[in-house]
Amino acid sequence: MSDIFESPEIINLFIGEVEEQILLFENGIVELEKNIDDPEIVQKLFRAAHTLKGSSAAVGFEQMKVLTHEMENVLDRIRNHRLKVSRPVVDVLLECLDCLKALKDEFVADRFCIKTDIRPIMAKLQGILAGSSDTYAQKGTEGVDISRKLFVLNAKQEEQIKQALDIGQNVLVCQVEIARDCQMKLARAYIVRNFLNERGTVIGMVPNVLDMGDEEIDKVWFLVITQMGADEMEWEVRNGLVDIEEVNVFPYSFNSPEIMKLSENEDRSLCSDLDVSMNAKVVDDAKRMSGRTVRIEVERLERMMDLVGELVIEQIRIAQAGNDLHNKYPADETVDDLISISNHVSVLIDELQEAIMKTRMIPVQQLFNRFPRIVRDLACSLNKEVELILEGGETEIDRTIVEDIADPLIHLIRNAVDHGIESPEVRKRLGKPEKGTLRISALPKDSNVIITVEDDGAGIDVEEIKRVAIQKKIISGEEANTMTHQQLIDLIFQPGFSTSNEVNDISGRGVGMDIVKNCVEKLKGVIDIETYAGAGTKFVIKLPIKLPMTLAILKGLLVKIGNETYAIPMNNVIEIVRQPRKAIEFVNGQAVTVIRNKAIPLVWLHDYFGIPRVKERRNILIVLLGMAEKRLGLVVDELIGNQEVVVTNLGAYIGKVEGISGATVLGDRSVACILDVAGIMKMVSERKVKRDMKEDECKKDSNHELIAVNE
Amino acid sequence: MGDFLSSQYVVCELANEKYALKIGDVYEIIKMQPITPVHNSKPFLEGIINLRGKIIPVVNLHKKFGLPNYATTKKTRIVVVKSRDEMVGIVFDKVNQVLRFSNIQPPPEMVAGIDGAYFEGMGITDEGVISILKIDKVLHE
């Protein structure tokens, strides 16, 4: 092993590649289970195993090399139709995968100390290999009908086959690919035929080479009756003949989609071959493309992001200074030059910013790729049938967002399969299809992505939520009666809430939905639940596609509260509504209005900031704020517009101020505070509780819990 | 150099009472400008201003010392001081002059009804005694 393979860069590259291939492999296997006959999937798996073998050998990772080699052997058999894909085979392959993951993790931790024992799994793989021929013997007659289509047999041939099988001979299909650069393909095909005749009796040949020109021949199938086994025959042909590109020998009765396609219409054999060569071309292109991409450590991208972020801020300052100069020296040409240069630089910076953003975007598919396995395993362990539908995988979002949203989504998926989708028996009784559907989609919308996780299961039982919430003292009985349907459903986001009667290792530990909520909140997203008893549950998560360039710049909605100007981060603004004053109702002293069929609590920040409320008008302006699952209507006196604002924190001297996250300098050089929506929501809920406490101080301990929850 | 600097003082007025600031503490003196209030913060924090693109807090010592509040006039100034590596503006009714004290006495327990701990000492001039503000203490305690 040369030194170059010791370098950290090579090792990191290797680990990156292993992770990628493992993921490919994982999805391939799950797909394979669904479409057992798809040769493309097998090919994909084989390639992944092969790549892993190659790269692990290159870094001298012996265990992985040995394991992938054996996996490759098994896949090769499947590929050559000598091994049928069955549940046990898939299970063993998945086990291999877990073993590979374990190996990888150990390699990352300390590559000189690999503890995972690959022997048990090796034994299983070898078991499959050993058993494969037996499988054939047993199932040898099953696929006759299918294979029969390839070779349109006459009565005589059928009789020959029958006799051969009776006396214990093998009937093999021998697929020979003649080398592309071979001069006389027709002659070569005959040589193969004669060669096979020496070792048995060729009773059929497809396509009929006599009817074809020399150029057109490259793949020929022979039907041979022989004493030899498939492996033996393959070895003989491979080593005994020249100008042969590829040989596959498999028992006649075996089912092969490629051959099936052919058999429907013999003339199509050419097309099929064309497809093969086209595929080869695509692979070539892909290879060439991969040579033109570069793997970059994420840290470097982050560093670039930071630098551009600073550049943006400084550019805004240059522009401001330019404007100041222009005001001082209105007739100065140099100042005009400065301003035009500054404008141009700002366009360039915008483009640079966009370009760097793009490098960080990855298709959601990379995240979706993890789901099929999770759903499969879950469904198996719960004895449920689940059809997973993934949509919009091509939607691109920032990689950090993809990473951060993974766990919450997995949690929602687990919930859906565990609590949502019913068992096949129950579903049948309810008149639903036995197989439940779990649909996960990602759709870009403006500068956001809408991710939905939707199941057609039982839906959330609001009465059950009410009961559990009261039992766990999250809410009191009286409160439960005043809460709206939606408010009750939102209770599942409370820490410590779980309606599952029995705790299992999948979900229902009561830590989950609040984590989902926190995560969405952290990503400045919003989450909504729609649920219909008996018809299913739908979680809608709206996230920004891009992270802000730096936390220092945000798109702000400028509003006036009294005569003070405030900026509200656009991320938190769901919509702006004008409502007649009459539409305000009071529920337990809390002003509420209905927006799009949802009761929204209203807040006058005036009261919290000590600003006198402006004379009441007929209509009020409400900025509907959203933060994860929470909604709040902020009553403002005037809308000014939206603009990019540079966030400056208030400094250590002022420190943290409730409801305010920082300040910004506006175009007219005045200063506006930026509202902190999370802080406002907290402030509002806390003060409300305080008022409640004053109202009835006699309430006991349960109230303290209430405070904790509302926080 | 340090000695020289610390021996020069900026004399400002709060509610007709003269106070002195070490010239080394003073970063800049600017005219009064609109101050954006920051609610729910320190009680004597007047708000924030834009000092050439930098946002700095401004405090109201009238409030802090329990003096009658200021009314903005042509003479009102914001004195920007540097304290604990941060710039903070202080509203003064007037900035008078820069001078040296011939002698500095330790502060008494109370200075015109204000806790003596807020002062470095009492500077003696020909015209009388001026109390010297201990900026860190005034701003942070």
Side-chain angles (χ1 to χ4, degrees):
Chain A
M1 193 164 54
S2 71
D3 281 341
I4 181 171
F5 295 122
E6 298 284 344
S7 79
E9 275 117 59
I10 296 288
I11 298 294
N12 283 341
L13 262 180
F14 167 68
I15 291 166
E17 174 151 317
V18 170
E19 280 168 355
E20 222 167 75
Q21 296 296 335
I22 286 181
L23 203 60
L24 269 177
F25 204 87
E26 188 157 45
N27 291 312
I29 296 174
V30 178
E31 262 179 72
L32 184 66
E33 207 181 16
K34 273 188 251 157
N35 307 307
I36 281 180
D37 295 328
D38 193 337
E40 260 173 53
I41 300 172
V42 180
Q43 188 59 34
K44 209 164 89 186
L45 289 173
F46 181 81
R47 266 204 299 271
H50 188 75
T51 313
L52 280 174
K53 186 177 85 172
S55 41
S56 51
V59 295
F61 191 175
E62 195 58 29
Q63 291 90 333
M64 190 176 276
K65 192 195 89 185
V66 173
L67 177 58
T68 46
H69 177 75
E70 209 61 34
M71 287 163 74
E72 206 187 48
N73 282 345
V74 169
L75 288 164
D76 191 46
R77 291 248 176 138
I78 298 175
R79 188 169 69 148
N80 294 333
H81 313 284
R82 300 202 329 260
L83 173 62
K84 203 169 168 100
V85 180
S86 61
R87 192 58 173 267
V89 173
V90 170
D91 284 339
V92 171
L93 284 174
L94 281 173
E95 246 177 87
C96 289
L97 198 64
D98 293 333
C99 186
L100 280 177
K101 282 182 187 164
L103 283 172
K104 185 213 80 190
D105 290 342
E106 284 186 356
F107 189 82
V108 174
D110 179 4
R111 64 200 172 92
F112 300 107
C113 174
I114 305 290
K115 292 198 203 78
T116 303
D117 188 4
I118 61 168
R119 274 171 304 183
I121 187 72
M122 286 294 286
K124 283 189 191 171
L125 282 170
Q126 275 148 4
I128 293 180
L129 285 174
S132 64
S133 35
D134 300 343
T135 330
Y136 274 120
Q138 285 164 10
K139 300 189 176 172
T141 46
E142 271 178 22
V144 172
D145 283 348
I146 297 150
S147 303
R148 217 165 250 176
K149 287 184 190 160
L150 171 62
F151 296 101
V152 183
L153 300 178
N154 55 33
K156 188 184 155 208
Q157 286 168 318
E158 263 179 36
E159 189 58 34
Q160 277 178 308
I161 290 173
K162 221 175 144 193
Q163 278 177 2
L165 289 172
D166 279 345
I167 57 167
Q169 280 188 317
N170 292 324
V171 179
L172 302 175
V173 175
C174 182
Q175 177 194 323
V176 180
E177 196 179 331
I178 295 167
R180 220 164 278 266
D181 53 358
C182 171
Q183 287 301 315
M184 294 157 72
K185 290 184 179 161
L186 182 66
R188 186 58 57 191
Y190 271 100
I191 292 173
V192 175
R193 190 190 151 138
N194 291 339
F195 184 86
L196 292 174
N197 264 330
E198 281 168 35
R199 284 153 185 83
T201 319
V202 175
I203 56 165
M205 183 172 175
V206 171
N208 194 344
V209 287
L210 286 173
D211 302 342
M212 294 163 73
D214 217 9
E215 288 78 14
E216 294 163 336
I217 306 167
D218 58 15
K219 232 183 220 175
V220 187
W221 285 266
F222 298 91
L223 189 58
V224 193
I225 297 175
T226 173
Q227 288 284 3
M228 296 165 119
D231 287 12
E232 204 185 344
M233 181 64 101
E234 190 175 317
W235 192 87
E236 287 261 359
V237 176
R238 210 181 281 275
N239 293 288
L241 287 164
V242 290
D243 276 349
I244 302 292
E245 195 81 44
E246 187 62 56
V247 186
N248 276 327
V249 179
F250 48 92
Y252 169 61
S253 48
F254 255 82
N255 156 359
S256 145
E258 201 180 4
I259 291 173
M260 266 173 65
K261 242 190 272 164
L262 249 173
S263 56
E264 284 161 21
N265 182 347
E266 274 196 22
D267 293 345
R268 278 181 54 194
S269 62
L270 278 176
C271 303
S272 145
D273 283 356
L274 209 69
D275 281 349
V276 172
S277 60
M278 292 259 285
N279 280 344
K281 215 175 142 205
V282 171
V283 171
D284 275 358
D285 280 348
K287 265 187 194 155
R288 233 174 287 136
M289 279 296 286
S290 70
R292 290 172 55 200
T293 57
V294 181
R295 274 168 196 267
I296 304 182
E297 276 169 48
V298 178
E299 282 83 55
R300 291 198 201 178
L301 285 179
E302 308 268 292
R303 176 78 188 126
M304 272 162 79
M305 275 272 283
D306 289 349
L307 287 174
V308 174
E310 281 172 42
L311 206 53
V312 173
I313 298 170
E314 294 310 311
Q315 170 54 33
I316 292 175
R317 295 187 60 194
I318 290 177
Q320 271 170 2
N323 286 338
D324 288 355
L325 278 175
H326 182 72
N327 292 337
K328 268 190 196 161
Y329 311 104
D332 194 306
E333 277 182 24
T334 326
V335 173
D336 287 345
D337 275 353
L338 175 70
I339 289 175
S340 86
I341 294 169
S342 155
N343 288 340
H344 189 212
V345 170
S346 124
V347 172
L348 290 179
I349 291 178
D350 277 354
E351 278 176 28
L352 180 62
Q353 190 177 348
E354 194 62 27
I356 290 186
M357 282 300 198
K358 284 246 170 75
T359 62
R360 298 173 47 90
M361 307 278 264
I362 54 173
V364 188
Q365 190 62 44
Q366 290 196 17
L367 172 60
F368 280 7
N369 281 344
R370 297 193 215 165
F371 299 158
R373 169 85 188 269
I374 294 169
V375 172
R376 173 201 180 266
D377 287 358
L378 266 177
C380 281
S381 68
L382 294 164
N383 285 324
K384 290 182 181 178
E385 287 177 38
V386 181
E387 165 105 22
L388 176 67
I389 301 174
L390 296 170
E391 290 171 339
E394 68 285 352
T395 310
E396 290 196 325
I397 47 179
D398 191 279
R399 53 164 296 131
T400 13
I401 299 178
V402 171
E403 278 164 15
D404 289 351
I405 200 67
D407 285 346
L409 283 183
I410 290 170
H411 193 87
L412 291 180
I413 290 170
R414 290 187 161 166
N415 270 342
V417 178
D418 191 12
H419 301 314
I421 292 171
E422 312 91 331
S423 62
E425 304 83 61
V426 175
R427 291 181 67 90
K428 202 171 174 185
R429 212 170 52 229
L430 294 170
K432 290 183 179 181
E434 284 176 41
K435 204 167 193 179
T437 306
L438 178 60
R439 184 188 299 271
I440 302 168
S441 71
L443 274 178
K445 192 183 169 206
D446 303 327
S447 57
N448 294 297
V449 59
I450 314 281
I451 300 178
T452 50
V453 177
E454 187 181 3
D455 67 62
D456 65 347
I460 297 174
D461 183 350
V462 177
E463 288 309 310
E464 179 73 4
I465 290 182
K466 208 191 256 184
R467 199 184 57 74
V468 173
I470 295 170
Q471 182 202 327
K472 297 197 172 169
K473 296 199 173 125
I474 291 173
I475 53 168
S476 67
E478 303 97 78
E479 271 179 302
N481 293 328
T482 61
M483 286 172 92
T484 63
H485 183 79
Q486 194 65 39
Q487 278 173 325
L488 285 168
I489 289 172
D490 286 344
L491 281 177
I492 63 168
F493 290 114
Q494 297 293 349
F497 188 90
S498 169
T499 57
S500 182
N501 295 328
E502 57 202 83
V503 170
N504 59 27
D505 64 335
I506 296 154
S507 54
R509 279 161 301 186
V511 285
M513 289 312 289
D514 61 315
I515 289 172
V516 172
K517 181 194 96 166
N518 289 344
C519 199
V520 172
E521 204 171 286
K522 206 183 103 206
L523 290 170
K524 312 242 175 280
V526 291
I527 184 166
D528 279 305
I529 315 175
E530 289 169 30
T531 182
Y532 306 98
T537 308
K538 182 176 178 183
F539 287 91
V540 181
I541 301 175
K542 185 176 128 193
L543 297 173
I545 283 182
K546 298 184 238 180
L547 276 185
M549 197 60 202
T550 76
L551 289 175
I553 299 173
L554 59 83
K555 192 135 200 207
L557 175 70
L558 298 183
V559 298
K560 280 213 157 159
I561 294 175
N563 51 10
E564 294 172 10
T565 306
Y566 288 89
I568 306 172
M570 266 307 207
N571 281 330
N572 297 116
V573 176
I574 294 179
E575 63 179 323
I576 298 164
V577 189
R578 198 182 287 274
Q579 290 272 67
R581 187 161 287 278
K582 282 178 287 182
I584 305 176
E585 290 160 46
F586 288 86
V587 180
N588 300 334
Q590 167 68 54
V592 167
T593 191
V594 176
I595 298 174
R596 295 189 199 285
N597 296 325
K598 258 186 157 184
I600 307 288
L602 292 178
V603 167
W604 279 260
L605 270 189
H606 310 65
D607 304 350
Y608 296 86
F609 284 173
I611 304 168
R613 283 204 201 181
V614 182
K615 215 180 112 229
E616 318 240 304
R617 281 187 227 126
R618 272 241 309 283
N619 290 316
I620 55 166
L621 261 179
I622 300 163
V623 178
L624 181 56
L625 301 177
M627 182 103 208
E629 91 290 4
K630 293 197 197 97
R631 303 287 180 274
L632 189 74
L634 189 68
V635 181
V636 301
D637 296 312
E638 200 183 312
L639 287 174
I640 300 174
N642 59 47
Q643 67 175 75
E644 299 242 301
V645 297
V646 179
V647 183
T648 315
N649 71 25
L650 295 173
Y653 184 72
I654 298 181
K656 222 177 139 30
V657 179
E658 204 176 30
I660 290 171
S661 60
T664 187
V665 177
L666 300 177
D668 62 356
R669 303 179 63 201
S670 66
V671 183
C673 287
I674 299 166
L675 296 179
D676 164 24
V677 175
I680 288 173
M681 290 188 171
K682 197 176 154 211
M683 183 165 84
V684 169
S685 66
E686 273 172 9
R687 296 215 187 161
K688 189 180 149 222
V689 173
K690 271 180 212 154
R691 211 167 53 221
D692 288 352
M693 292 285 280
K694 253 181 253 163
E695 274 169 17
D696 41 8
E697 278 165 355
C698 51
K699 269 194 193 168
K700 280 165 273 154
D701 287 352
S702 62
N703 242 355
H704 288 291
E705 248 168 281
L706 176 66
I707 300 166
V709 167
N710 275 342
E711 276 170 14
Chain B
M1 187 71 186
D3 262 344
F4 173 70
L5 272 180
S6 58
S7 61
Q8 277 205 8
Y9 291 85
V10 179
V11 178
C12 317
E13 277 182 28
L14 285 178
N16 296 322
E17 191 69 41
K18 280 183 187 157
Y19 297 90
L21 296 165
K22 246 185 279 171
I23 202 163
D25 288 337
V26 176
Y27 178 81
E28 191 170 3
I29 298 169
I30 56 174
K31 282 190 185 154
M32 188 60 179
Q33 51 169 289
I35 300 173
T36 304
V38 179
H39 302 284
N40 298 339
S41 183
K42 292 186 166 83
F44 60 95
L45 181 83
E46 194 66 0
I48 46 183
I49 56 163
N50 167 17
L51 181 68
R52 288 187 306 281
K54 247 183 102 87
I55 291 174
I56 63 164
V58 176
V59 299
N60 182 339
L61 288 191
H62 296 77
K63 253 189 213 169
K64 170 117 187 170
F65 292 159
L67 305 169
N69 204 5
Y70 69 91
T72 305
T73 68
K74 266 188 180 167
K75 289 182 179 165
T76 311
R77 293 287 181 274
I78 296 172
V79 177
V80 182
V81 299
K82 216 165 186 179
S83 159
R84 302 194 183 169
D85 281 336
E86 255 190 290
M87 294 207 276
V88 180
I90 303 170
V91 180
F92 282 98
D93 294 314
K94 199 173 157 192
V95 173
N96 294 23
Q97 73 210 98
V98 176
L99 52 65
R100 261 169 244 246
F101 295 116
S102 52
N103 189 9
I104 297 175
Q105 299 283 323
E109 244 170 60
M110 291 292 272
V111 179
I114 305 164
D115 187 348
Y118 287 127
F119 302 97
E120 299 272 7
M122 309 304 288
I124 315 285
T125 67
D126 298 344
E127 289 135 54
V129 179
I130 300 174
S131 17
I132 304 166
L133 289 169
K134 196 188 259 178
I135 279 301
D136 269 18
K137 180 112 184 146
V138 168
L139 293 180
H140 291 99
E141 284 167 36

